[in-house]
Amino acid sequence: MKIPPGKQPDPMSAPRYMDIPTFMRAPHIENPSDCDIAMIGIPYDGAVTNRPGARHGPREIRNSSSMMRSIHPVSRINPYQQCRIGDAGDVPFTNVYDVEKAHKNIEDFIHLWTSSNTAILAAGGDHSVSLPILRALGCNEPVGLIHIDAHTDTWDDFLGTNYSHGAPFRRAVEEGLIDPKRTVQIGIRGAQNASVGWDYSESVGMRVIFMEEVLDLGVQAVIKEAREIIGPSRAYISFDIDSIDPAFAPGTGTPEVGGFTSREALSLVRGFDGLNIAGADVVEVSPPWDPTGMTALVGASMMYELLCILATARGLGTN
Ligand code: MN
Ligand code: MN
Protein backbone atom coordinates (compact mmCIF):
# COMPACT_ATOMS: atom_id res chain seq x y z
CA MET A 1 0.00 0.00 0.00
CA LYS A 2 1.58 3.30 -1.05
CA ILE A 3 0.72 6.01 1.46
CA PRO A 4 2.08 9.53 1.67
CA PRO A 5 3.68 10.26 5.06
CA GLY A 6 1.17 11.40 7.64
CA LYS A 7 -1.87 10.35 5.63
CA GLN A 8 -3.95 7.50 6.96
CA PRO A 9 -4.78 4.77 4.45
CA ASP A 10 -8.26 3.72 3.46
CA PRO A 11 -8.36 0.23 5.00
CA MET A 12 -10.85 -0.88 2.37
CA SER A 13 -8.69 0.09 -0.60
CA ALA A 14 -6.94 -3.28 -0.81
CA PRO A 15 -7.36 -6.77 0.64
CA ARG A 16 -5.82 -7.04 4.08
CA TYR A 17 -3.43 -9.82 3.13
CA MET A 18 -1.62 -7.68 0.56
CA ASP A 19 1.57 -5.65 0.62
CA ILE A 20 4.47 -5.36 3.04
CA PRO A 21 3.10 -5.95 6.54
CA THR A 22 3.28 -3.02 8.93
CA PHE A 23 1.58 -2.94 12.34
CA MET A 24 -2.20 -2.70 11.68
CA ARG A 25 -1.42 -1.87 8.02
CA ALA A 26 -0.53 1.65 9.14
CA PRO A 27 1.84 3.70 7.00
CA HIS A 28 5.55 3.35 7.62
CA ILE A 29 6.66 6.62 9.21
CA GLU A 30 10.23 7.84 9.55
CA ASN A 31 9.63 11.36 10.91
CA PRO A 32 8.13 11.71 14.41
CA SER A 33 6.31 14.87 13.38
CA ASP A 34 4.28 12.81 10.88
CA CYS A 35 2.28 10.93 13.52
CA ASP A 36 0.60 11.19 16.92
CA ILE A 37 1.05 7.53 17.85
CA ALA A 38 4.05 5.49 16.71
CA MET A 39 4.03 1.70 16.77
CA ILE A 40 7.59 0.44 17.19
CA GLY A 41 9.06 -3.05 17.00
CA ILE A 42 11.76 -4.05 19.48
CA PRO A 43 13.17 -7.38 18.24
CA TYR A 44 15.41 -8.12 21.22
CA ASP A 45 15.45 -11.14 23.57
CA GLY A 46 18.97 -11.06 24.94
CA ALA A 47 17.77 -10.78 28.54
CA VAL A 48 15.54 -13.84 28.89
CA THR A 49 16.01 -16.24 31.79
CA ASN A 50 14.62 -19.26 29.97
CA ARG A 51 13.28 -19.92 26.48
CA PRO A 52 14.27 -17.35 23.82
CA GLY A 53 12.44 -16.33 20.65
CA ALA A 54 10.74 -13.02 21.49
CA ARG A 55 13.17 -11.31 19.10
CA HIS A 56 10.89 -12.67 16.39
CA GLY A 57 7.77 -11.19 18.02
CA PRO A 58 7.47 -7.89 16.13
CA ARG A 59 7.60 -9.52 12.69
CA GLU A 60 4.90 -12.08 13.51
CA ILE A 61 2.72 -9.54 15.30
CA ARG A 62 2.96 -7.29 12.25
CA ASN A 63 1.85 -10.19 10.07
CA SER A 64 -1.07 -11.13 12.34
CA SER A 65 -2.05 -7.51 12.84
CA SER A 66 -3.22 -7.36 9.22
CA MET A 67 -6.30 -9.12 10.64
CA MET A 68 -7.15 -6.09 12.78
CA ARG A 69 -9.81 -3.62 11.64
CA SER A 70 -10.58 -0.01 12.52
CA ILE A 71 -13.77 0.51 14.56
CA HIS A 72 -13.82 -0.85 18.10
CA PRO A 73 -16.86 -3.11 18.68
CA VAL A 74 -17.61 -1.82 22.20
CA SER A 75 -16.46 1.80 22.40
CA ARG A 76 -16.98 2.50 18.65
CA ILE A 77 -13.66 4.35 18.74
CA ASN A 78 -11.90 4.56 15.39
CA PRO A 79 -8.36 5.47 16.42
CA TYR A 80 -7.37 6.22 12.83
CA GLN A 81 -9.98 8.98 12.62
CA GLN A 82 -8.80 10.50 15.89
CA CYS A 83 -5.06 10.39 15.33
CA ARG A 84 -2.28 10.01 12.82
CA ILE A 85 -0.94 6.52 13.47
CA GLY A 86 2.20 5.06 11.93
CA ASP A 87 4.60 2.15 12.07
CA ALA A 88 8.02 3.57 12.92
CA GLY A 89 9.80 0.33 12.08
CA ASP A 90 12.13 -1.52 14.44
CA VAL A 91 14.65 -0.12 16.86
CA PRO A 92 17.95 -0.04 14.91
CA PHE A 93 20.41 -2.01 17.01
CA THR A 94 24.13 -1.43 16.80
CA ASN A 95 24.77 -3.95 19.58
CA VAL A 96 22.67 -7.00 20.46
CA TYR A 97 25.27 -8.99 22.41
CA ASP A 98 25.53 -6.67 25.40
CA VAL A 99 22.29 -6.10 27.33
CA GLU A 100 23.11 -2.60 28.54
CA LYS A 101 24.28 -1.41 25.12
CA ALA A 102 21.20 -2.92 23.48
CA HIS A 103 19.03 -1.13 26.03
CA LYS A 104 20.78 2.13 25.16
CA ASN A 105 19.90 1.58 21.50
CA ILE A 106 16.26 1.15 22.53
CA GLU A 107 16.22 4.21 24.79
CA ASP A 108 17.82 6.43 22.14
CA PHE A 109 15.33 5.41 19.44
CA ILE A 110 12.28 5.69 21.70
CA HIS A 111 13.48 9.09 22.89
CA LEU A 112 13.50 10.37 19.30
CA TRP A 113 9.73 9.86 19.26
CA THR A 114 8.77 10.78 22.82
CA SER A 115 10.77 14.01 22.61
CA SER A 116 8.51 14.96 19.68
CA ASN A 117 5.46 14.38 21.87
CA THR A 118 4.54 11.20 20.01
CA ALA A 119 2.82 8.47 22.01
CA ILE A 120 4.50 5.07 21.85
CA LEU A 121 3.01 1.61 21.34
CA ALA A 122 5.83 -0.92 21.34
CA ALA A 123 5.95 -4.62 20.50
CA GLY A 124 8.72 -6.70 22.10
CA GLY A 125 10.89 -8.36 22.54
CA ASP A 126 11.46 -9.72 26.02
CA HIS A 127 10.20 -7.73 29.00
CA SER A 128 13.58 -6.13 29.66
CA VAL A 129 12.75 -3.69 26.84
CA SER A 130 10.24 -1.87 29.04
CA LEU A 131 13.07 -0.41 31.11
CA PRO A 132 14.72 1.60 28.30
CA ILE A 133 11.26 2.66 27.09
CA LEU A 134 10.55 4.02 30.57
CA ARG A 135 13.96 5.73 30.62
CA ALA A 136 12.79 7.71 27.59
CA LEU A 137 9.23 8.22 28.84
CA GLY A 138 9.80 8.82 32.54
CA CYS A 139 12.97 10.88 32.31
CA ASN A 140 11.34 14.10 33.55
CA GLU A 141 9.01 12.72 36.18
CA PRO A 142 8.00 9.22 37.24
CA VAL A 143 4.92 7.73 35.57
CA GLY A 144 2.27 5.42 36.95
CA LEU A 145 2.33 1.82 35.75
CA ILE A 146 -0.35 -0.72 34.94
CA HIS A 147 1.56 -3.97 34.62
CA ILE A 148 -0.34 -7.06 33.46
CA ASP A 149 1.80 -10.18 33.80
CA ALA A 150 2.13 -13.58 35.48
CA HIS A 151 5.32 -12.27 37.09
CA THR A 152 6.15 -9.09 39.01
CA ASP A 153 9.45 -8.62 37.12
CA THR A 154 10.90 -6.99 40.21
CA TRP A 155 13.57 -9.58 40.85
CA ASP A 156 17.16 -8.49 41.41
CA ASP A 157 20.40 -9.46 39.68
CA PHE A 158 20.40 -12.85 38.00
CA LEU A 159 23.44 -14.81 36.81
CA GLY A 160 25.56 -11.78 36.04
CA THR A 161 23.13 -9.04 35.02
CA ASN A 162 20.87 -6.54 36.78
CA TYR A 163 18.85 -6.15 33.59
CA SER A 164 17.19 -9.49 32.87
CA HIS A 165 13.54 -9.64 31.82
CA GLY A 166 12.77 -10.51 35.44
CA ALA A 167 13.95 -7.16 36.79
CA PRO A 168 12.85 -4.15 34.69
CA PHE A 169 10.36 -2.70 37.16
CA ARG A 170 12.69 -2.97 40.17
CA ARG A 171 15.27 -1.01 38.19
CA ALA A 172 12.57 1.46 37.06
CA VAL A 173 11.71 2.19 40.70
CA GLU A 174 15.38 2.58 41.64
CA GLU A 175 15.96 4.96 38.72
CA GLY A 176 12.90 7.06 39.60
CA LEU A 177 11.13 6.25 36.32
CA ILE A 178 7.91 4.86 37.82
CA ASP A 179 6.06 5.75 41.01
CA PRO A 180 5.63 2.48 42.94
CA LYS A 181 2.64 3.92 44.80
CA ARG A 182 0.97 4.49 41.43
CA THR A 183 1.82 1.00 40.20
CA VAL A 184 -0.55 -1.95 39.99
CA GLN A 185 0.53 -5.44 38.96
CA ILE A 186 -2.30 -7.69 37.79
CA GLY A 187 -2.49 -11.44 37.22
CA ILE A 188 0.59 -12.54 39.18
CA ARG A 189 0.85 -16.30 39.65
CA GLY A 190 3.11 -19.34 39.48
CA ALA A 191 5.53 -20.76 42.04
CA GLN A 192 8.96 -19.17 42.50
CA ASN A 193 12.30 -20.43 43.79
CA ALA A 194 12.62 -17.27 45.89
CA SER A 195 10.08 -14.65 46.94
CA VAL A 196 12.33 -11.59 46.48
CA GLY A 197 10.31 -10.22 43.55
CA TRP A 198 6.95 -10.46 45.26
CA ASP A 199 8.47 -9.09 48.48
CA TYR A 200 10.11 -6.14 46.71
CA SER A 201 6.90 -5.08 44.92
CA GLU A 202 4.93 -5.05 48.15
CA SER A 203 7.72 -3.42 50.17
CA VAL A 204 7.83 -0.34 47.88
CA GLY A 205 4.06 0.06 47.89
CA MET A 206 3.01 -1.45 44.58
CA ARG A 207 -0.48 -2.96 44.54
CA VAL A 208 0.07 -6.60 43.59
CA ILE A 209 -3.12 -8.38 42.55
CA PHE A 210 -2.39 -12.08 42.37
CA MET A 211 -4.55 -14.15 40.04
CA GLU A 212 -6.37 -15.73 43.01
CA GLU A 213 -7.50 -12.28 44.07
CA VAL A 214 -8.51 -11.39 40.50
CA LEU A 215 -10.79 -14.43 40.58
CA ASP A 216 -12.30 -13.32 43.89
CA LEU A 217 -12.76 -9.67 42.91
CA GLY A 218 -13.70 -10.04 39.24
CA VAL A 219 -12.24 -8.08 36.34
CA GLN A 220 -14.48 -5.02 36.76
CA ALA A 221 -13.49 -4.55 40.41
CA VAL A 222 -9.82 -4.87 39.46
CA ILE A 223 -10.29 -2.16 36.82
CA LYS A 224 -11.99 0.14 39.33
CA GLU A 225 -9.22 -0.22 41.90
CA ALA A 226 -6.46 0.17 39.30
CA ARG A 227 -8.04 3.37 37.97
CA GLU A 228 -8.13 4.79 41.50
CA ILE A 229 -4.46 3.92 42.04
CA ILE A 230 -3.35 5.45 38.74
CA GLY A 231 -5.43 8.63 39.07
CA PRO A 232 -5.28 11.51 36.57
CA SER A 233 -1.50 11.70 36.05
CA ARG A 234 0.59 10.12 33.28
CA ALA A 235 0.85 6.37 33.22
CA TYR A 236 2.22 3.51 31.13
CA ILE A 237 0.66 0.12 30.40
CA SER A 238 2.93 -2.90 30.04
CA PHE A 239 1.25 -6.08 28.84
CA ASP A 240 3.18 -9.35 29.09
CA ILE A 241 1.52 -11.98 26.90
CA ASP A 242 2.22 -14.60 29.59
CA SER A 243 -0.51 -12.96 31.67
CA ILE A 244 -2.84 -14.87 29.35
CA ASP A 245 -3.28 -18.60 29.89
CA PRO A 246 -1.04 -20.71 27.64
CA ALA A 247 -4.22 -22.39 26.37
CA PHE A 248 -4.80 -19.12 24.48
CA ALA A 249 -1.23 -17.84 24.14
CA PRO A 250 1.29 -20.67 24.34
CA GLY A 251 4.05 -18.90 22.41
CA THR A 252 6.01 -17.28 25.19
CA GLY A 253 9.22 -17.90 27.08
CA THR A 254 7.96 -18.47 30.63
CA PRO A 255 4.36 -19.71 30.40
CA GLU A 256 2.27 -20.07 33.57
CA VAL A 257 -1.01 -21.97 33.59
CA GLY A 258 -4.08 -20.52 35.30
CA GLY A 259 -4.01 -17.19 33.46
CA PHE A 260 -6.50 -14.82 31.88
CA THR A 261 -8.61 -15.94 28.98
CA SER A 262 -8.04 -13.74 25.94
CA ARG A 263 -11.60 -12.41 26.44
CA GLU A 264 -10.87 -11.39 30.04
CA ALA A 265 -7.64 -9.69 28.95
CA LEU A 266 -9.49 -7.65 26.30
CA SER A 267 -12.05 -6.53 28.92
CA LEU A 268 -9.31 -5.66 31.39
CA VAL A 269 -7.37 -3.46 28.97
CA ARG A 270 -10.57 -1.80 27.68
CA GLY A 271 -11.25 -0.78 31.25
CA PHE A 272 -8.35 1.65 31.19
CA ASP A 273 -9.88 3.83 28.48
CA GLY A 274 -9.88 7.50 29.45
CA LEU A 275 -6.79 7.35 31.67
CA ASN A 276 -3.78 9.53 30.87
CA ILE A 277 -1.81 6.80 29.10
CA ALA A 278 1.40 8.09 27.55
CA GLY A 279 2.62 4.80 26.13
CA ALA A 280 2.21 1.05 26.17
CA ASP A 281 3.82 -2.20 25.16
CA VAL A 282 3.01 -5.83 24.40
CA VAL A 283 5.96 -8.09 25.14
CA GLU A 284 7.13 -11.70 25.27
CA VAL A 285 5.39 -13.04 22.16
CA SER A 286 7.80 -15.80 21.09
CA PRO A 287 6.96 -17.17 17.64
CA PRO A 288 9.22 -20.27 17.80
CA TRP A 289 6.91 -21.55 20.60
CA ASP A 290 3.78 -20.52 18.73
CA PRO A 291 3.17 -23.20 16.08
CA THR A 292 -0.42 -22.12 15.33
CA GLY A 293 0.31 -18.38 15.28
CA MET A 294 -2.39 -17.89 17.92
CA THR A 295 -0.13 -16.02 20.33
CA ALA A 296 0.87 -13.48 17.70
CA LEU A 297 -2.83 -12.92 16.92
CA VAL A 298 -3.58 -12.36 20.62
CA GLY A 299 -0.61 -9.98 20.79
CA ALA A 300 -1.86 -8.01 17.78
CA SER A 301 -5.35 -7.88 19.31
CA MET A 302 -4.00 -6.53 22.59
CA MET A 303 -2.04 -3.92 20.64
CA TYR A 304 -5.25 -2.82 18.91
CA GLU A 305 -6.97 -2.43 22.31
CA LEU A 306 -4.05 -0.36 23.58
CA LEU A 307 -4.06 1.71 20.38
CA CYS A 308 -7.69 2.70 21.05
CA ILE A 309 -6.79 3.74 24.61
CA LEU A 310 -3.84 5.80 23.40
CA ALA A 311 -6.10 7.45 20.79
CA THR A 312 -8.62 8.38 23.49
CA ALA A 313 -5.85 9.83 25.64
CA ARG A 314 -4.53 11.78 22.68
CA GLY A 315 -8.04 13.06 21.97
CA LEU A 316 -8.34 14.21 25.58
CA GLY A 317 -5.00 15.97 25.18
CA THR A 318 -3.49 13.93 27.97
CA ASN A 319 -0.66 12.04 26.28
MN1 MN B 1 7.10 -9.90 32.22
MN1 MN C 1 5.78 -12.79 32.67
Side-chain angles (χ1 to χ4, degrees):
M1 199 180 293
K2 306 292 186 294
I3 306 141
K7 187 175 188 322
Q8 288 298 317
D10 173 3
M12 304 288 279
S13 65
R16 287 182 287 158
Y17 51 81
M18 289 182 66
D19 292 307
I20 297 167
T22 57
F23 288 120
M24 317 289 167
R25 303 170 69 224
H28 180 217
I29 297 287
E30 294 183 337
N31 186 342
S33 64
D34 286 339
C35 68
D36 303 307
I37 302 174
M39 295 180 282
I40 297 174
I42 310 182
Y44 177 75
D45 64 7
V48 297
T49 55
N50 202 322
R51 310 190 307 189
R55 71 181 67 177
H56 303 292
R59 182 164 289 186
E60 294 306 318
I61 292 173
R62 278 193 177 93
N63 192 20
S64 289
S65 74
S66 70
M67 301 291 282
M68 301 298 109
R69 302 184 184 89
S70 307
I71 305 169
H72 194 282
V74 179
S75 66
R76 302 297 173 98
I77 290 168
N78 181 342
Y80 306 96
Q81 283 186 346
Q82 299 194 18
C83 302
R84 299 169 304 156
I85 298 167
D87 183 330
D90 288 343
V91 168
F93 285 100
T94 57
N95 194 312
V96 293
Y97 296 107
D98 180 302
V99 174
E100 292 174 55
K101 289 178 180 171
H103 282 180
K104 185 72 168 70
N105 290 157
I106 297 168
E107 178 187 349
D108 288 348
F109 189 67
I110 299 292
H111 193 255
L112 281 178
W113 300 80
T114 55
S115 62
S116 298
N117 197 30
T118 300
I120 296 299
L121 177 55
D126 72 46
H127 217 153
S128 76
V129 306
S130 297
L131 178 62
I133 295 172
L134 288 166
R135 283 175 178 153
L137 208 72
C139 59
N140 293 323
E141 84 179 301
V143 295
L145 174 69
I146 298 171
H147 172 207
I148 303 163
D149 200 325
H151 315 97
T152 60
D153 294 352
T154 48
W155 273 258
D156 207 344
D157 63 298
F158 182 72
L159 294 176
T161 183
N162 284 325
Y163 301 102
S164 82
H165 74 156
F169 302 116
R170 189 187 191 107
R171 301 284 95 85
V173 171
E174 292 169 350
E175 295 181 25
L177 307 173
I178 60 173
D179 178 354
K181 300 214 163 32
R182 290 183 57 234
T183 293
V184 55
Q185 301 187 302
I186 304 170
I188 309 303
R189 63 187 188 279
Q192 294 292 339
N193 290 322
S195 63
V196 293
W198 301 334
D199 296 344
Y200 179 83
S201 289
E202 290 173 344
S203 73
V204 294
M206 295 180 178
R207 171 68 167 113
V208 184
I209 308 180
F210 282 76
M211 187 53 88
E212 290 301 316
E213 193 177 355
V214 173
L215 290 173
D216 289 343
L217 292 172
V219 167
Q220 292 307 316
V222 169
I223 291 168
K224 184 168 181 290
E225 184 179 348
R227 293 182 69 102
E228 287 167 2
I229 290 167
I230 294 300
S233 302
R234 288 174 91 226
Y236 186 78
I237 299 179
S238 190
F239 189 94
D240 188 325
I241 204 77
D242 72 28
S243 63
I244 294 179
D245 195 279
F248 301 88
T252 194
T254 47
E256 302 284 355
V257 301
F260 288 109
T261 65
S262 45
R263 185 179 61 197
E264 287 167 340
L266 293 172
S267 297
L268 180 64
V269 170
R270 283 171 194 167
F272 302 127
D273 192 43
L275 292 177
N276 183 354
I277 304 300
D281 63 46
V282 173
V283 296
E284 299 284 358
V285 171
S286 179
W289 303 95
D290 190 30
T292 66
M294 194 59 228
T295 312
L297 179 63
V298 174
S301 301
M302 299 316 301
M303 281 186 74
Y304 171 74
E305 292 291 337
L306 291 164
L307 188 60
C308 291
I309 285 172
L310 288 167
T312 297
R314 175 66 43 155
L316 294 170
T318 54
N319 71 13

